[in-house]
Every structure is written in structure tokens, then in C-alpha cells.
Amino acid sequence: MEHLIRVTVYGLISGIIGTGLGGIIAFFIGNASNRILSFIIEFSAGIMTSVVCFELIPEAFDLGGVYPVFIGLVSGVAAIILIEDFIKKSDLMAGKYKNSSLLKAGMLMAIGIALHNLPEGFAVGSGFEASTRLGFTITGVIVIHDIPEGIAMAVPMRAGGVSKLKTFVYTLLSGVPMGIGAFIGAALGNISSHMIAACLSFAGGAMLYIVLGEMIPESKRIYLGRLSSVGNIIGIICGIIISKYNS
């Protein structure tokens, strides 16, 4: 039981530190011009696109094959569309913040990151079950990996009018599923590879829809210049480097 608790704490810490650091970085860019804000949003979107396409989905294919990945991707996109429709119909944020569309993008990104962090927690828990060295290696990589995710979540929230403290708390909370996933991974020991593949692709589908359906359109809405596209390209290149380093 002590080992299980320790692994859960490792997973929880790795999740909240990475996304929390992204939230802290957003403190210093909350008052940026539309030009800079657009660049940052698309830079974060580029990183997320690369991570999904060059890390999550290939790993899901290796673990489970075509069918779990296809089902997971479609389910992830459908889930975010349903959540998006609920937010639009409920009109929960209309008039409450200065830029509700950016806030919605940040909230949806938080959901996608939380979904993403759960299967990553499986990897932490399973890694520690294999060996302590592997567990700590995975934990360190995930901390680095989660920093741009925290930025991608926090920047639109700050631009949408959410306070620095609330933004930071939300980024911390998005890392909590990592601890839950680590607990499940350590408790079950040998998780079905098909289930992990479905979880990874589900999160990947959710993230892709958020990036392509929310982040990039919102970036173009606030600034149509060339700089935002350059930011996207730089983000994709950085994401490829991160994925290559993690492989």
C-alpha cells in the first residue's frame, strides 16, 4: 500500500508541476498585444499538434493497432464537440468575461489536457512497476512535456479575463488526473495495451479538435498577420524535437 501511495504522489506531482509551470509563465504574458498573443497561441497549438501526431498517435498504434486508435480518435473529437455545444447552449460565460471565446478555448484545452494526463499517468504507474529508474525517467519527461500544455491552456484563459490566481489553480487541477492514472497503472500492474491505445488516441482526438477548431481560428480572429503562422511553424518544429527526444 505504501508503494502504491508513493507512485500516486509521483504521478500527481509530475502532472501539477508541468502544467503549473505553464500557468506561471502565463502570468508574464497576460497583458501581451494581440500580435504577441496570437503568436503564443499558435506556437502552443503547433507544439500540441506535433505531440499528438508524432508521439501520442504513433504510440497508440504500436500498443493497440488501427481499430482502438480509430475509435479513440473519433470518440475524443465527438466528446469535445458535445462539450463545446453544451458550453455554447448553456451560455455560462457570456458577458462574464471580456473575451468569452478565448476563455472557452482555454477551458476546452484544460479538458483535453486532463484527458491527456490520465493515460500519461498510466505510463508513470506502469513504469514504476517495471523499475524505479524507468518510473523516474518517465516522470521527468512528462514534467517537461506538460509545460507547453499548461501555457496553451493558461494563455487564452488570461486573455479571456480570468485572474492570475484562478488560472494558476486551473492549470494545477488539470494535472490531477496524472495522479489518478498513476494509481490505476500501479494498482493494476499490467493494463491492457488496447485500452491504453484507446485512451491515448481519445486524448489525441480531443486535443486535435481543440487546436484546429478553437485555438487557431481564435488566433486568426485576433490577429491576421504573418507572425502567428510563423509561431505555429516554430511550435510544430519544437514539438517534433520534443517527441524525438522522448523516443
Side-chain angles (χ1 to χ4, degrees), residues 5-6 26 65 76 94 99-100 103 111 119-120 132 136 142 150 174 179 196 222 236 244-245:
I5 294 175
R6 185 167 61 251
N99 196 330
S100 59
L103 177 59
I111 294 170
E120 284 188 348
T132 302
F136 278 119
I142 287 177
S174 69
I196 298 176
I222 63 177
I236 289 174
K244 181 65 175 177
Y245 175 78

Side-chain angles (χ1 to χ4, degrees), residues 48-209:
M48 291 300 98
T49 302
S50 286
V51 168
V52 170
C53 294
F54 298 109
E55 184 176 340
L56 289 185
I57 301 305
E59 183 176 351
F61 272 121
D62 289 341
L63 289 171
V66 174
Y67 294 111
V69 172
F70 177 77
I71 293 172
L73 284 171
V74 173
S75 300
V77 172
I80 296 301
I81 290 175
L82 290 175
I83 293 171
E84 183 183 41
D85 286 343
F86 171 76
I87 293 175
K88 288 179 179 178
K89 291 178 181 178
S90 62
D91 208 26
L92 293 175
M93 296 175 292
K96 186 175 180 181
Y97 294 96
K98 63 184 180 183
N99 196 330
S100 59
S101 59
L102 267 175
L103 177 59
K104 182 185 70 175
M107 291 296 188
L108 289 173
M109 179 62 73
I111 294 170
I113 290 171
L115 292 171
H116 180 188
N117 281 341
L118 185 63
E120 284 188 348
F122 293 165
V124 171
S126 301
F128 274 109
E129 289 302 300
S131 71
T132 302
R133 181 192 59 79
L134 179 59
F136 278 119
T137 299
I138 294 175
T139 300
V141 168
I142 287 177
V143 169
I144 298 173
H145 173 76
D146 280 351
I147 293 175
E149 292 184 343
I151 296 174
M153 167 186 166
V155 167
M157 282 189 177
R158 289 288 297 125
V162 180
S163 69
K164 291 181 178 181
L165 178 59
K166 286 185 177 180
T167 298
F168 181 61
V169 170
Y170 289 145
T171 57
L172 292 180
L173 290 177
S174 69
V176 171
M178 189 85 74
I180 299 174
F183 176 86
I184 296 174
L188 299 181
N190 295 318
I191 303 175
S192 167
S193 60
H194 286 80
M195 184 182 73
I196 298 176
C199 289
L200 287 173
S201 55
F202 181 92
M207 296 296 290
L208 281 178
Y209 181 83

